[in-house]
Amino acid sequence: MAQIGDKWSLLILFALVDGPERFNALKSRVEGISQRMLTQTLRDLEREGYVIRTVYPEVPVRVEYALKEMGKDLVKPLYQLVSWADQHQEEINRARKEYDEKS
Amino acid sequence: MAQIGDKWSLLILFALVDGPERFNALKSRVEGISQRMLTQTLRDLEREGYVIRTVYPEVPVRVEYALKEMGKDLVKPLYQLVSWADQHQEEINRARKEYDEKS
DNA sequence: CAGCATCCCCTCCGATACTG
DNA sequence: CAGTATCGGAGGGGATGCTG
């Protein structure tokens, strides 16, 4: 959780499940992320072994990011969690509103 | 994730699965947490509807925190994730070491 | 195109002191 | 016992400008 519970890791992982993506394509898919955070989070994910970075020495250079086996594996329990959150979103909103009104 | 991906929420939820706990008992079970963060995180968890706070007006006062239905529910997919992490910890450590050596 | 470097704000969180 | 209030350091993360 400490590793992928930050602001962007989850979104980047999910943006990669459909297949490899280039840097700027990722930047488009992950709405609102800055160049800085995309680079930094990708480096972290690469370091932990979830993502592989491949450089194709063309001109201009092409860089692709893809999920490694472990990354694909990790996404499964994460989806469980996200789908849980989806199903309970209303309930949470209700609880929060109720709590706020009492205070 | 934004809600329970912080430093303490997960640990507090897990400390409550065995049954209700009093404030200071929680403080002992969640190693390293400060009074301030325990209070604050409990308030958040209560606000989102995961935890219920009950005050028994004795002297001295007794306060118990317990998982609500939604909290117990949430813990299930979280356990999935944690057990995944347990199983892959070595693999992650290896990937990280390898990455660090290349840099 | 895919980044790195820098500046800077703002939030998280620990430490400490105080209260019903 | 179970908090609240306040201060201050560390770092997460955005904006901007520059590069091979």
Short mmCIF file of all heavy atoms in Angstrom, two decimals, chain C residues 2-5 8-10 12 14-20:
data_model
loop_
_atom_site.label_atom_id
_atom_site.label_comp_id
_atom_site.label_asym_id
_atom_site.label_seq_id
_atom_site.Cartn_x
_atom_site.Cartn_y
_atom_site.Cartn_z
P DA C 2 7.21 9.54 -26.58
OP1 DA C 2 7.22 8.08 -26.83
OP2 DA C 2 5.96 10.22 -26.24
"O5'" DA C 2 8.30 9.85 -25.47
"C5'" DA C 2 9.58 9.26 -25.60
"C4'" DA C 2 10.52 9.86 -24.60
"O4'" DA C 2 10.69 11.28 -24.87
"C3'" DA C 2 10.04 9.78 -23.14
"O3'" DA C 2 11.12 9.33 -22.32
"C2'" DA C 2 9.64 11.20 -22.82
"C1'" DA C 2 10.65 11.97 -23.63
N9 DA C 2 10.33 13.37 -23.87
C8 DA C 2 9.11 13.95 -24.11
N7 DA C 2 9.13 15.25 -24.25
C5 DA C 2 10.47 15.56 -24.10
C6 DA C 2 11.16 16.80 -24.14
N6 DA C 2 10.58 17.98 -24.36
N1 DA C 2 12.51 16.75 -23.95
C2 DA C 2 13.10 15.56 -23.74
N3 DA C 2 12.55 14.35 -23.67
C4 DA C 2 11.23 14.42 -23.86
P DG C 3 10.80 8.81 -20.83
OP1 DG C 3 12.07 8.33 -20.29
OP2 DG C 3 9.65 7.95 -20.86
"O5'" DG C 3 10.38 10.17 -20.05
"C5'" DG C 3 11.11 10.54 -18.91
"C4'" DG C 3 12.25 11.46 -19.29
"O4'" DG C 3 11.75 12.30 -20.36
"C3'" DG C 3 12.61 12.49 -18.23
"O3'" DG C 3 13.40 11.93 -17.20
"C2'" DG C 3 13.35 13.51 -19.05
"C1'" DG C 3 12.54 13.49 -20.36
N9 DG C 3 11.65 14.66 -20.47
C8 DG C 3 10.29 14.70 -20.57
N7 DG C 3 9.81 15.91 -20.70
C5 DG C 3 10.92 16.73 -20.66
C6 DG C 3 11.04 18.13 -20.75
O6 DG C 3 10.13 18.97 -20.89
N1 DG C 3 12.37 18.55 -20.68
C2 DG C 3 13.43 17.70 -20.53
N2 DG C 3 14.63 18.27 -20.47
N3 DG C 3 13.34 16.39 -20.46
C4 DG C 3 12.06 15.96 -20.53
P DC C 4 14.45 11.39 -16.62
OP1 DC C 4 15.24 10.70 -17.65
OP2 DC C 4 14.00 10.62 -15.46
"O5'" DC C 4 15.32 12.64 -16.13
"C5'" DC C 4 16.51 12.96 -16.83
"C4'" DC C 4 16.93 14.41 -16.57
"O4'" DC C 4 15.98 15.32 -17.16
"C3'" DC C 4 16.98 14.76 -15.08
"O3'" DC C 4 18.20 15.48 -14.87
"C2'" DC C 4 15.74 15.61 -14.86
"C1'" DC C 4 15.62 16.31 -16.21
N1 DC C 4 14.22 16.74 -16.52
C2 DC C 4 13.97 18.09 -16.80
O2 DC C 4 14.92 18.88 -16.79
N3 DC C 4 12.70 18.48 -17.07
C4 DC C 4 11.71 17.59 -17.08
N4 DC C 4 10.48 18.02 -17.36
C5 DC C 4 11.95 16.21 -16.80
C6 DC C 4 13.21 15.83 -16.53
P DA C 5 18.76 15.75 -13.40
OP1 DA C 5 20.17 15.32 -13.40
OP2 DA C 5 17.81 15.20 -12.41
"O5'" DA C 5 18.71 17.34 -13.29
"C5'" DA C 5 18.37 18.17 -14.38
"C4'" DA C 5 18.34 19.62 -13.91
"O4'" DA C 5 17.05 20.19 -14.24
"C3'" DA C 5 18.50 19.82 -12.41
"O3'" DA C 5 19.14 21.08 -12.19
"C2'" DA C 5 17.06 19.80 -11.91
"C1'" DA C 5 16.30 20.45 -13.07
N9 DA C 5 14.95 19.92 -13.25
C8 DA C 5 14.56 18.61 -13.16
N7 DA C 5 13.28 18.43 -13.40
C5 DA C 5 12.80 19.71 -13.66
C6 DA C 5 11.51 20.19 -13.99
N6 DA C 5 10.44 19.41 -14.11
N1 DA C 5 11.37 21.52 -14.19
C2 DA C 5 12.46 22.31 -14.08
N3 DA C 5 13.72 21.96 -13.78
C4 DA C 5 13.81 20.64 -13.58
P DC C 8 11.64 30.26 -5.28
OP1 DC C 8 11.69 31.70 -5.56
OP2 DC C 8 12.53 29.64 -4.26
"O5'" DC C 8 10.16 29.84 -4.93
"C5'" DC C 8 9.24 29.42 -5.95
"C4'" DC C 8 8.09 28.69 -5.31
"O4'" DC C 8 8.28 27.25 -5.46
"C3'" DC C 8 7.92 28.93 -3.80
"O3'" DC C 8 6.55 29.09 -3.53
"C2'" DC C 8 8.46 27.65 -3.18
"C1'" DC C 8 8.02 26.63 -4.22
N1 DC C 8 8.73 25.32 -4.19
C2 DC C 8 8.03 24.15 -4.54
O2 DC C 8 6.86 24.24 -4.86
N3 DC C 8 8.68 22.97 -4.49
C4 DC C 8 9.96 22.93 -4.13
N4 DC C 8 10.56 21.74 -4.11
C5 DC C 8 10.68 24.10 -3.77
C6 DC C 8 10.04 25.28 -3.82
P DC C 9 6.09 29.87 -2.18
OP1 DC C 9 6.13 31.30 -2.48
OP2 DC C 9 6.86 29.32 -1.03
"O5'" DC C 9 4.58 29.39 -2.04
"C5'" DC C 9 3.83 29.06 -3.21
"C4'" DC C 9 3.07 27.77 -3.00
"O4'" DC C 9 3.97 26.64 -3.05
"C3'" DC C 9 2.36 27.69 -1.65
"O3'" DC C 9 1.04 27.22 -1.89
"C2'" DC C 9 3.19 26.68 -0.86
"C1'" DC C 9 3.67 25.76 -1.97
N1 DC C 9 4.90 24.98 -1.69
C2 DC C 9 4.88 23.58 -1.86
O2 DC C 9 3.85 23.04 -2.24
N3 DC C 9 6.00 22.88 -1.60
C4 DC C 9 7.11 23.51 -1.19
N4 DC C 9 8.20 22.78 -0.95
C5 DC C 9 7.14 24.92 -1.01
C6 DC C 9 6.03 25.62 -1.26
P DC C 10 -0.15 27.48 -0.84
OP1 DC C 10 -0.99 28.56 -1.38
OP2 DC C 10 0.42 27.58 0.54
"O5'" DC C 10 -0.98 26.10 -0.93
"C5'" DC C 10 -0.48 25.01 -1.72
"C4'" DC C 10 -0.43 23.76 -0.87
"O4'" DC C 10 0.94 23.43 -0.55
"C3'" DC C 10 -1.16 23.87 0.46
"O3'" DC C 10 -1.97 22.72 0.58
"C2'" DC C 10 -0.04 23.89 1.50
"C1'" DC C 10 1.00 23.03 0.81
N1 DC C 10 2.41 23.18 1.25
C2 DC C 10 3.26 22.07 1.26
O2 DC C 10 2.82 20.97 0.89
N3 DC C 10 4.54 22.22 1.68
C4 DC C 10 4.98 23.42 2.06
N4 DC C 10 6.24 23.53 2.45
C5 DC C 10 4.13 24.56 2.06
C6 DC C 10 2.85 24.41 1.66
P DC C 12 -3.38 16.18 3.91
OP1 DC C 12 -4.26 15.20 3.25
OP2 DC C 12 -3.92 17.06 4.97
"O5'" DC C 12 -2.12 15.40 4.48
"C5'" DC C 12 -1.29 14.64 3.58
"C4'" DC C 12 -0.09 14.15 4.35
"O4'" DC C 12 0.71 15.28 4.75
"C3'" DC C 12 -0.45 13.41 5.63
"O3'" DC C 12 0.30 12.21 5.68
"C2'" DC C 12 -0.09 14.38 6.75
"C1'" DC C 12 1.04 15.18 6.12
N1 DC C 12 1.22 16.57 6.62
C2 DC C 12 2.50 17.02 6.99
O2 DC C 12 3.47 16.25 6.92
N3 DC C 12 2.66 18.29 7.44
C4 DC C 12 1.61 19.11 7.51
N4 DC C 12 1.81 20.36 7.95
C5 DC C 12 0.30 18.67 7.14
C6 DC C 12 0.15 17.40 6.71
P DG C 14 3.23 10.06 12.21
OP1 DG C 14 3.58 8.72 11.70
OP2 DG C 14 1.94 10.29 12.86
"O5'" DG C 14 4.38 10.52 13.20
"C5'" DG C 14 5.67 10.86 12.70
"C4'" DG C 14 6.33 11.87 13.62
"O4'" DG C 14 5.74 13.18 13.41
"C3'" DG C 14 6.16 11.55 15.11
"O3'" DG C 14 7.42 11.68 15.77
"C2'" DG C 14 5.15 12.58 15.60
"C1'" DG C 14 5.39 13.75 14.66
N9 DG C 14 4.19 14.55 14.42
C8 DG C 14 2.96 14.09 14.01
N7 DG C 14 2.08 15.04 13.88
C5 DG C 14 2.76 16.21 14.22
C6 DG C 14 2.31 17.55 14.26
O6 DG C 14 1.19 18.00 13.99
N1 DG C 14 3.32 18.42 14.67
C2 DG C 14 4.60 18.03 14.99
N2 DG C 14 5.44 19.00 15.36
N3 DG C 14 5.04 16.77 14.95
C4 DG C 14 4.06 15.91 14.56
P DA C 15 7.55 11.35 17.32
OP1 DA C 15 8.86 10.68 17.48
OP2 DA C 15 6.32 10.65 17.76
"O5'" DA C 15 7.58 12.78 18.01
"C5'" DA C 15 8.25 13.87 17.38
"C4'" DA C 15 8.28 15.07 18.32
"O4'" DA C 15 7.17 15.95 18.02
"C3'" DA C 15 8.15 14.73 19.81
"O3'" DA C 15 9.00 15.60 20.56
"C2'" DA C 15 6.67 14.97 20.11
"C1'" DA C 15 6.33 16.11 19.14
N9 DA C 15 4.95 16.09 18.67
C8 DA C 15 4.23 14.99 18.29
N7 DA C 15 3.01 15.25 17.89
C5 DA C 15 2.93 16.64 18.01
C6 DA C 15 1.89 17.55 17.74
N6 DA C 15 0.69 17.20 17.27
N1 DA C 15 2.14 18.86 17.97
C2 DA C 15 3.34 19.23 18.44
N3 DA C 15 4.39 18.46 18.73
C4 DA C 15 4.12 17.16 18.49
P DT C 16 9.10 15.38 22.15
OP1 DT C 16 10.49 15.75 22.50
OP2 DT C 16 8.55 14.07 22.52
"O5'" DT C 16 8.13 16.51 22.72
"C5'" DT C 16 8.19 17.83 22.19
"C4'" DT C 16 7.01 18.63 22.69
"O4'" DT C 16 5.83 18.31 21.93
"C3'" DT C 16 6.63 18.41 24.16
"O3'" DT C 16 6.80 19.62 24.88
"C2'" DT C 16 5.17 17.95 24.12
"C1'" DT C 16 4.72 18.50 22.76
N1 DT C 16 3.57 17.79 22.17
C2 DT C 16 2.48 18.52 21.79
O2 DT C 16 2.41 19.72 21.90
N3 DT C 16 1.46 17.78 21.26
C4 DT C 16 1.42 16.40 21.09
O4 DT C 16 0.44 15.87 20.59
C5 DT C 16 2.60 15.70 21.51
C7 DT C 16 2.66 14.22 21.38
C6 DT C 16 3.60 16.41 22.03
P DA C 17 6.66 19.63 26.52
OP1 DA C 17 7.75 20.45 27.07
OP2 DA C 17 6.46 18.24 27.00
"O5'" DA C 17 5.28 20.41 26.70
"C5'" DA C 17 5.04 21.60 25.95
"C4'" DA C 17 3.57 21.98 26.07
"O4'" DA C 17 2.77 21.13 25.22
"C3'" DA C 17 3.00 21.82 27.50
"O3'" DA C 17 2.28 23.00 27.86
"C2'" DA C 17 2.09 20.60 27.39
"C1'" DA C 17 1.63 20.72 25.94
N9 DA C 17 1.16 19.45 25.38
C8 DA C 17 1.81 18.24 25.39
N7 DA C 17 1.13 17.27 24.82
C5 DA C 17 -0.04 17.88 24.41
C6 DA C 17 -1.18 17.40 23.74
N6 DA C 17 -1.31 16.14 23.37
N1 DA C 17 -2.18 18.28 23.48
C2 DA C 17 -2.03 19.56 23.87
N3 DA C 17 -1.00 20.13 24.50
C4 DA C 17 -0.03 19.23 24.74
P DC C 18 1.63 23.12 29.35
OP1 DC C 18 1.84 24.51 29.77
OP2 DC C 18 2.12 21.98 30.17
"O5'" DC C 18 0.07 22.92 29.08
"C5'" DC C 18 -0.62 23.83 28.18
"C4'" DC C 18 -2.01 23.28 27.89
"O4'" DC C 18 -1.90 21.99 27.24
"C3'" DC C 18 -2.89 23.07 29.13
"O3'" DC C 18 -4.13 23.73 28.94
"C2'" DC C 18 -3.06 21.55 29.20
"C1'" DC C 18 -2.92 21.16 27.75
N1 DC C 18 -2.50 19.74 27.53
C2 DC C 18 -3.41 18.85 26.94
O2 DC C 18 -4.53 19.26 26.61
N3 DC C 18 -3.02 17.56 26.76
C4 DC C 18 -1.81 17.17 27.12
N4 DC C 18 -1.47 15.90 26.90
C5 DC C 18 -0.87 18.06 27.73
C6 DC C 18 -1.26 19.33 27.91
P DT C 19 -5.27 23.77 30.11
OP1 DT C 19 -5.93 25.06 30.06
OP2 DT C 19 -4.64 23.26 31.35
"O5'" DT C 19 -6.29 22.66 29.60
"C5'" DT C 19 -7.39 23.02 28.75
"C4'" DT C 19 -8.34 21.84 28.65
"O4'" DT C 19 -7.57 20.64 28.40
"C3'" DT C 19 -9.15 21.57 29.93
"O3'" DT C 19 -10.52 21.48 29.57
"C2'" DT C 19 -8.62 20.23 30.42
"C1'" DT C 19 -8.17 19.60 29.11
N1 DT C 19 -7.16 18.50 29.23
C2 DT C 19 -7.51 17.24 28.79
O2 DT C 19 -8.59 16.98 28.32
N3 DT C 19 -6.53 16.30 28.94
C4 DT C 19 -5.26 16.49 29.46
O4 DT C 19 -4.46 15.56 29.52
C5 DT C 19 -4.95 17.83 29.89
C7 DT C 19 -3.62 18.14 30.46
C6 DT C 19 -5.92 18.77 29.77
P DG C 20 -11.66 22.04 30.55
OP1 DG C 20 -12.06 23.35 29.97
OP2 DG C 20 -11.17 21.96 31.94
"O5'" DG C 20 -12.90 21.05 30.39
"C5'" DG C 20 -13.33 20.58 29.12
"C4'" DG C 20 -13.93 19.20 29.28
"O4'" DG C 20 -12.85 18.23 29.37
"C3'" DG C 20 -14.78 19.02 30.54
"O3'" DG C 20 -15.85 18.14 30.27
"C2'" DG C 20 -13.78 18.38 31.52
"C1'" DG C 20 -12.98 17.49 30.58
N9 DG C 20 -11.63 17.13 30.99
C8 DG C 20 -10.68 17.95 31.56
N7 DG C 20 -9.55 17.34 31.81
C5 DG C 20 -9.76 16.04 31.37
C6 DG C 20 -8.89 14.92 31.37
O6 DG C 20 -7.73 14.86 31.77
N1 DG C 20 -9.51 13.80 30.83
C2 DG C 20 -10.81 13.76 30.36
N2 DG C 20 -11.23 12.62 29.89
N3 DG C 20 -11.62 14.81 30.35
C4 DG C 20 -11.04 15.91 30.87
#
